[in-house]
Amino acid sequence: MSKVKIVCDSSAGLTEEDIKKYNITIVPLTVMIDGTIYVERETISNDEFPQLMKNAKSLPKTSQPPIGKFVDAFDKLGEDGSEVLCVTMMESISGTVHAAEQAATMSKTKVTVYDSQTTDQGMAFQIVEAAKVLEAGGSVDDAVAKMKDVLAKSKLYLAIDNLDNLVAGGRISKFAGALSSLLNIKVMLQVAGGQIHIIMKGRGTKAIHKEWDRILKEMADGPKPVKVGISHVEGNKEVERLKSGVEKIYPDQKITVRETVPIIATHTGMGACCLLYYTE
């Protein structure tokens, strides 16, 4: 029986430990800041990006991996007869899944491309569980079924502190952005069904705190989490408050806190804070 190897794009919020343990191949996205192109995980780190974005003359521009990068990765991994399971971020925020699908038709290797319908640590939760299935001798279909199960039990909430990047990136109108800045509007988003939904708009930090408290109550009243993550863009103060809130509910729960990847930080802007978890 052929071995199955995992490939994913660099938006996945995997730890270095997970990448090494499960021998996961990462195909990087790129970000251009004031004319200079940076490659995620190669020439720029998550921790370095926020300061560069803060000092940039204009909003950084992000790009999905070239099809050739995927083809090269697929071909190399399949040289020993292995199959490839390629997991990508959700289609609604990037065309990466389509680049991977095109590459799969061009590769000599048998490749299955799967849209995780999420990103960041939510995507990592699925990949790690899929890797465990494959490690135990499961098939690609078994691994995909497990990822769908994890997705069905996953939550991703994202608090946007500053709408400037969403305006600059064309995600919301300049008029709405100017009005929001004037009124100090904060936004809570949720990723569900592979789409981003606005679930709350309110004035000031108190509105966001009230919404986080509601979300934490929902978490407390629901099934026990298997894994919990907090991703952010220099949102340290809010991260500590949120982390403390989770720890009060589940004192023994390990929480992975990390700066998010450049492609996500570009759209969310400074101060963004995201809670991701999946349950039993």
Side-chain angles (χ1 to χ4, degrees):
M1 191 169 75
S2 65
K3 188 177 178 183
V4 182
K5 298 173 183 176
I6 295 178
V7 173
C8 67
D9 65 67
S10 57
S11 75
L14 292 158
T15 65
E16 291 303 317
E17 183 185 359
D18 287 333
I19 293 166
K20 288 172 186 170
K21 183 177 180 181
Y22 299 109
N23 197 23
I24 296 164
T25 298
I26 312 267
V27 177
L29 288 96
T30 58
V31 58
M32 185 166 73
I33 306 170
D34 294 338
T36 301
I37 294 174
Y38 297 88
V39 181
E40 289 189 349
R41 297 181 55 82
E42 294 179 12
T43 58
I44 192 167
S45 69
N46 297 357
D47 292 334
E48 290 169 333
F49 179 74
Q51 197 59 42
L52 289 172
M53 178 171 70
K54 206 186 291 183
N55 296 331
K57 294 170 187 168
S58 58
L59 184 72
K61 294 179 181 176
T62 59
S63 298
Q64 66 200 43
I67 293 170
K69 284 264 189 187
F70 278 116
V71 174
D72 290 346
F74 297 162
D75 284 349
K76 186 177 179 184
L77 293 172
E79 282 174 355
D80 61 359
S82 293
E83 282 186 59
V84 166
L85 172 59
C86 178
V87 185
T88 73
M89 77 176 91
M90 58 192 195
E91 180 190 26
S92 62
I93 60 170
S94 172
T96 298
V97 63
H98 299 305
E101 286 169 342
Q102 283 183 266
T105 66
M106 299 163 67
S107 176
K108 306 164 196 166
T109 302
K110 183 179 179 183
V111 180
T112 300
V113 177
Y114 171 78
D115 179 347
S116 69
Q117 294 192 51
T118 185
T119 189
D120 200 272
Q121 293 189 63
M123 187 173 159
F125 297 155
Q126 294 184 43
I127 292 169
V128 169
E129 291 298 336
K132 289 176 184 175
V133 168
L134 296 173
E135 194 175 58
S139 66
V140 168
D141 286 345
D142 295 332
V144 169
K146 183 62 179 177
M147 286 193 287
K148 287 180 177 177
D149 179 59
V150 171
L151 175 64
K153 296 171 181 174
S154 294
K155 298 281 188 180
L156 188 162
Y157 296 104
L158 171 62
I160 302 292
D161 184 64
N162 184 315
L163 298 180
D164 290 351
N165 283 31
L166 288 174
V167 173
R171 304 278 167 152
I172 57 175
S173 74
K174 288 187 178 179
F175 174 74
L179 192 61
S180 297
S181 298
L182 187 66
L183 299 175
N184 193 23
I185 297 292
K186 312 293 183 183
V187 176
M188 183 71 78
L189 308 175
Q190 180 178 9
V191 171
Q195 300 291 326
I196 299 171
H197 307 273
I198 298 174
I199 60 169
M200 192 283 303
K201 289 185 282 186
R203 291 182 66 176
T205 305
K206 281 186 180 178
I208 282 291
H209 287 176
K210 187 176 178 182
E211 186 65 9
W212 275 133
D213 291 344
R214 182 196 68 78
I215 289 166
L216 289 172
K217 185 178 185 307
E218 175 190 277
M219 190 184 197
D221 293 343
K224 187 179 178 184
V226 178
K227 280 194 178 178
V228 179
I230 297 174
S231 295
H232 64 104
V233 188
E234 288 195 357
N236 301 324
K237 192 175 175 184
E238 290 300 298
V239 167
E240 284 307 312
R241 183 185 186 277
L242 185 56
K243 184 170 181 278
S244 175
V246 175
E247 287 171 340
K248 282 177 187 173
I249 306 166
Y250 298 106
D252 300 326
Q253 179 70 54
K254 183 186 174 187
I255 304 167
T256 302
V257 178
R258 70 195 295 269
E259 284 276 349
T260 194
V261 294
I263 187 171
I264 297 172
T266 295
H267 297 301
T268 63
M270 302 299 295
C273 184
C274 182
L275 174 68
L276 315 93
Y277 66 96
Y278 76 99
T279 63
E280 293 174 343

